[in-house]
Amino acid sequence: MVQMATSSNGNEFNDRSLDTKTVDPAMFQRKRMLDQALHQYISVMQRTGMANASNVQGMRSWVADAKLTDNASEEKSIVHREEFFRKYDGKWVIEYGEQIYDSFFGQLNKAAPYLSRASYDRWVRDRFKNPAIGIIEKKYWIEKQMPTFVENWIAVGKERESILKNPALVDAIKMDPELGLLKDKEKFLDLHYDKKKGLIKLANASILSLKGKRQALYAQTKVKLMGAVSQGTLAAGKVGGWMQRIFGANGTTEQIDTFVNGSGLETLEDLIANWAAVKQRYDHVKGKIAKGGEADASRGFTLLSESQFLSLHYDTRVKYVEEAERRVGEVNDVETENPIFIQIKHAMDIRDWDAADDMILKARTLGLSGTEKERLNSMDRLVKQFTGRKESTENMSNVTEARDRIDQIVTEMASSHPELQSMVMRLLRGPNANRSIHQFRWIVYNNKWCRTHGYLNQDIARKGASTENKELMKERKKNNLDIGRNDVLDGDTATGAFIRKDEHANHKATLLHVNVSDGAANSTVAAKMEKEQDPRVLYWMTFCGTDSNGDPKSDNWHNDLFFMLTELRGHAKTLKKSGFMYDSPGRPLVGLN
């Protein structure tokens, strides 16, 4: 935890420039505490490499520019800096910076023998030192995702070492010079993981073809597959996999020749035609979105990039493009759409495949029309590519792990999002905690989506949370009118009456500006999230956290909150399935009645 100490190791302010007769002595004490926090912050940033000389000097200047005055309006300059180190980014860096540094480099150095120098440097520069990635988000992927990456890098590196020991590789390289890349360790390790894996498989296919004396077939097959790559219908990293599949099968030379050089159904020609057809459908969707703008795509939906799309398994590409075609141009149908489909689409958009799977099962129990059933089946086919249907396997071990992880997250919120800790605890203690957390997560995610697509930025958020908008909102409420696009919740407006009514909010975009330092405002949001919401309202509503002065929270603050809520939602679901509710850190679970 950050301690705002009573002494300083430096003099970031010029005390002699202050009129000590007009400034309360307590202000100098606040200055000393700010100096100490700055010293801690810079120490962590320099040790971890997350700051350069320019960043450090900028922070020193920013703190030094604080006005020490008893004037309430000018005092904001020191208040902003104090809050940076007590509550926000400054505190998070001090709290987590060295922890994630040690974890990141511990894992990266473990994998270093199986990474090129350039790849190692990219991970440091583009992921760890990237200022666009918040501390909490970094902490999440370093702890949750990076271990899998490291395992994969090491595994494929060892596969290379193994295949290099195969004497047959010499002749394989003579037949296919591309395989010579396996002998250049640095170049091989600098490839993307998919391409490294593909090259290993290509080597296996080459060795198998030599063993079966099928060199000519190998060359013919590769030419055709590379043709699909050049046409943009197959990912380059998939060529090796297909080659290994073809030459690793138990078919005769004649059967392989028929598959590779024949025509008609179930031949390579047929497969390539199918790849081209589904890519053409993807290109059509992409073109429609580019021509019509984001208005032609359902809110929350982001089209995969071409490389991401081609990296999918063929069946998944088909299911994905089916859903993409349905989503293009359907945004205006939200008002009349079955609410369960809005919920399923949102879960798919944030890649929460388990949640989507649960909602699809729930939808099966509803009285759907024939068209709706057809659409649900399409969604189901896509979701099944990412998660298998399975019976609940919750047990006391799962429950204990879920409770312990919730304990950790809500405790961490005391540093990362202290204003919202009580609100999130309240949502977790309810009998429908997973639903409440999910609903809150939804409107937080909308903040990221709106920023990504140009509908929201700091200036728009600041204007939306302005005093003028708050007064206009109050006046409209008084005259029983639609409150408007911007709901401003703080100490004066912290009641549900100042949140746009569902009859308007279920088809119009609403920015919910919440002074998260105000307990009453947070309580109002919590009360709304505890009740089951119309998915249309959640679809259109965007949570915008603000400081007490109306300044909007940063992108990273909202992104980090989304990551925490995503994890909490999953653990809360585990508890509910086993008949328990959360209480608080260190306390026993409560049984559901």
Side-chain angles (χ1 to χ4, degrees):
M1 301 292 289
V2 176
Q3 299 296 322
M4 299 296 277
T6 58
S7 63
S8 173
N9 294 330
N11 291 306
E12 305 303 338
F13 296 95
N14 184 349
D15 293 0
R16 289 172 296 181
S17 68
L18 300 170
D19 184 350
T20 58
K21 295 180 181 179
T22 61
V23 179
D24 190 320
M27 190 66 73
F28 290 92
Q29 178 74 356
R30 291 170 64 182
K31 179 266 294 186
R32 294 187 185 95
M33 295 192 305
L34 196 56
D35 279 352
Q36 179 63 15
L38 174 64
H39 176 77
Q40 291 176 285
Y41 175 84
I42 289 176
S43 176
V44 172
M45 292 291 278
Q46 289 179 323
R47 189 218 160 194
T48 61
M50 288 191 287
N52 54 35
S54 176
N55 299 141
V56 170
Q57 185 55 45
M59 283 300 300
R60 290 186 187 280
S61 299
W62 182 65
V63 171
D65 287 343
K67 291 182 173 62
L68 302 191
T69 173
D70 294 328
N71 182 295
S73 62
E74 292 186 352
E75 188 186 4
K76 287 182 179 179
S77 71
I78 190 171
V79 170
H80 289 174
R81 290 154 177 81
E82 288 173 330
E83 289 187 342
F84 177 82
F85 291 111
R86 280 198 177 113
K87 299 179 179 179
Y88 309 130
D89 297 50
K91 182 171 185 177
W92 305 344
V93 166
I94 296 169
E95 187 79 14
Y96 300 130
E98 294 194 357
Q99 174 188 335
I100 68 170
Y101 171 88
D102 291 340
S103 178
F104 175 79
F105 281 98
Q107 295 184 75
L108 197 64
N109 290 334
K110 177 183 177 182
Y114 301 98
L115 288 175
S116 69
R117 182 71 246 181
S119 180
Y120 184 102
D121 291 343
R122 283 195 299 271
W123 273 87
V124 174
R125 181 189 66 240
D126 298 340
R127 298 302 297 267
F128 184 76
K129 292 186 178 181
N130 188 344
I133 303 176
I135 289 290
I136 302 300
E137 184 175 350
K138 285 177 182 173
K139 186 173 182 291
Y140 177 85
W141 65 257
I142 287 171
E143 292 178 352
K144 302 296 181 183
Q145 298 174 332
M146 194 172 179
T148 300
F149 297 153
V150 169
E151 288 177 8
N152 289 340
W153 296 334
I154 293 174
V156 76
K158 289 183 175 180
E159 285 184 79
R160 169 188 170 270
E161 293 173 346
S162 177
I163 206 164
L164 285 175
K165 297 175 183 178
N166 191 330
L169 183 63
V170 175
D171 290 331
I173 292 174
K174 290 178 182 177
M175 182 178 71
D176 188 345
E178 181 185 356
L179 298 175
L181 192 58
L182 285 164
K183 300 182 75 68
D184 190 325
K185 181 178 179 181
E186 193 69 7
K187 287 185 178 179
F188 174 83
L189 294 180
D190 198 46
L191 296 173
H192 185 279
Y193 172 76
D194 289 346
K195 291 185 178 179
K196 285 188 282 193
K197 195 72 178 173
L199 196 61
I200 295 291
K201 291 179 178 180
L202 184 64
N204 289 332
S206 178
I207 292 170
L208 287 168
S209 70
L210 285 168
K211 185 178 180 181
K213 298 181 179 181
R214 297 164 178 167
Q215 294 93 319
L217 271 176
Y218 175 94
Q220 293 163 1
T221 307
K222 190 177 179 187
V223 165
K224 292 190 176 187
L225 290 171
M226 291 306 298
V229 172
S230 65
Q231 292 168 12
T233 60
L234 180 69
K238 289 184 174 291
V239 171
W242 273 105
M243 293 290 287
Q244 180 174 280
R245 194 174 307 164
I246 293 168
F247 290 93
N250 294 322
T252 64
T253 299
E254 291 72 20
Q255 288 173 325
I256 295 175
D257 181 62
T258 299
F259 174 77
V260 172
N261 296 312
S263 60
L265 296 177
E266 299 185 0
T267 63
L268 183 57
E269 179 184 85
D270 184 42
L271 282 179
I272 292 175
N274 290 337
W275 299 339
V278 74
K279 177 56 165 42
Q280 186 177 35
R281 292 169 66 185
Y282 165 88
D283 289 338
H284 182 66
V285 171
K286 184 178 180 181
K288 287 192 69 174
I289 292 177
K291 182 179 179 180
E294 291 297 336
D296 276 351
S298 177
R299 182 174 185 173
F301 177 73
T302 301
L303 190 70
L304 292 177
S305 69
E306 182 172 309
S307 61
Q308 290 172 326
F309 177 73
L310 291 177
S311 71
L312 299 175
H313 186 277
Y314 171 73
D315 287 343
T316 307
R317 271 176 276 163
V318 172
K319 308 306 183 298
Y320 176 81
V321 83
E322 283 178 358
E323 182 61 21
E325 288 167 339
R326 288 180 181 274
R327 299 290 286 276
V328 171
E330 72 173 9
V331 66
N332 293 325
D333 296 332
V334 172
E335 280 188 69
T336 57
E337 186 166 29
N338 190 320
I340 193 68
F341 286 107
I342 300 175
Q343 293 175 297
I344 296 171
K345 289 192 301 183
H346 171 69
M348 293 166 68
D349 291 338
I350 63 174
R351 309 290 194 270
D352 190 341
W353 304 112
D354 287 335
D357 194 49
D358 287 344
M359 291 172 193
I360 287 171
L361 288 174
K362 178 181 177 181
R364 298 280 186 208
T365 68
L366 306 177
L368 302 179
S369 67
T371 301
E372 287 176 328
K373 288 178 181 178
E374 180 182 342
R375 185 175 181 201
L376 185 66
N377 289 336
S378 174
M379 290 175 160
D380 195 17
R381 287 193 294 271
L382 176 59
V383 171
K384 279 180 179 176
Q385 302 299 315
F386 297 95
T387 180
R389 195 88 72 208
K390 51 187 178 293
E391 296 298 320
S392 173
T393 57
E394 310 299 342
N395 54 45
M396 288 311 298
S397 175
N398 299 135
V399 169
T400 300
E401 289 174 6
R403 182 203 61 199
D404 290 348
R405 185 56 188 146
I406 293 175
D407 281 353
Q408 291 173 6
I409 296 171
V410 296
T411 300
E412 287 170 359
M413 288 193 79
S415 295
S416 62
H417 294 73
E419 310 93 334
L420 294 178
Q421 186 188 41
S422 295
M423 172 186 167
V424 170
M425 289 276 288
R426 171 176 168 175
L427 297 179
L428 285 168
R429 289 180 177 129
N432 295 299
N434 58 319
R435 184 188 70 194
S436 301
I437 293 291
H438 167 67
Q439 293 183 156
F440 185 37
R441 174 183 66 162
W442 190 332
I443 63 175
V444 170
Y445 168 78
N446 287 344
N447 186 292
K448 179 178 181 179
W449 189 91
C450 287
R451 288 176 185 267
T452 300
H453 293 81
Y455 296 110
L456 184 64
N457 56 37
Q458 293 297 86
D459 288 338
I460 294 173
R462 187 175 290 106
K463 290 176 183 176
S466 66
T467 300
E468 293 78 8
N469 267 334
K470 185 174 78 169
E471 293 305 315
L472 181 61
M473 180 185 72
K474 290 164 74 174
E475 185 65 24
R476 286 174 172 166
K477 174 189 173 292
K478 181 174 149 183
N479 292 295
N480 198 29
L481 300 172
D482 177 18
I483 286 177
R485 178 184 178 85
N486 295 284
D487 295 354
V488 184
L489 299 187
D490 60 14
D492 294 333
T493 57
T495 69
F498 287 100
I499 296 180
R500 199 176 202 175
K501 292 181 180 179
D502 286 1
E503 62 191 82
H504 306 294
N506 65 8
H507 62 283
K508 296 179 181 178
T510 304
L511 300 179
L512 186 63
H513 304 279
V514 182
N515 173 8
V516 294
S517 297
D518 188 283
N522 291 339
S523 180
T524 297
V525 176
K528 185 172 183 65
M529 295 298 102
E530 285 174 329
K531 298 176 182 177
E532 185 169 9
Q533 296 296 308
D534 180 345
R536 297 176 184 84
V537 173
L538 299 173
Y539 177 93
W540 287 110
M541 181 173 286
T542 298
F543 178 86
C544 302
T546 73
D547 294 332
S548 55
N549 54 22
D551 283 343
K553 295 292 191 181
S554 68
D555 292 11
N556 285 343
W557 185 92
H558 287 92
N559 291 345
D560 290 342
L561 178 59
F562 171 76
F563 275 98
M564 287 187 287
L565 293 174
T566 294
E567 193 169 356
L568 287 173
R569 188 260 176 195
H571 296 312
K573 174 184 170 184
T574 295
L575 297 187
K576 181 169 184 178
K577 280 189 173 182
S578 296
F580 292 101
M581 287 192 302
Y582 185 73
D583 184 83
S584 56
R587 297 281 299 170
L589 296 172
V590 178
L592 285 168
N593 293 328

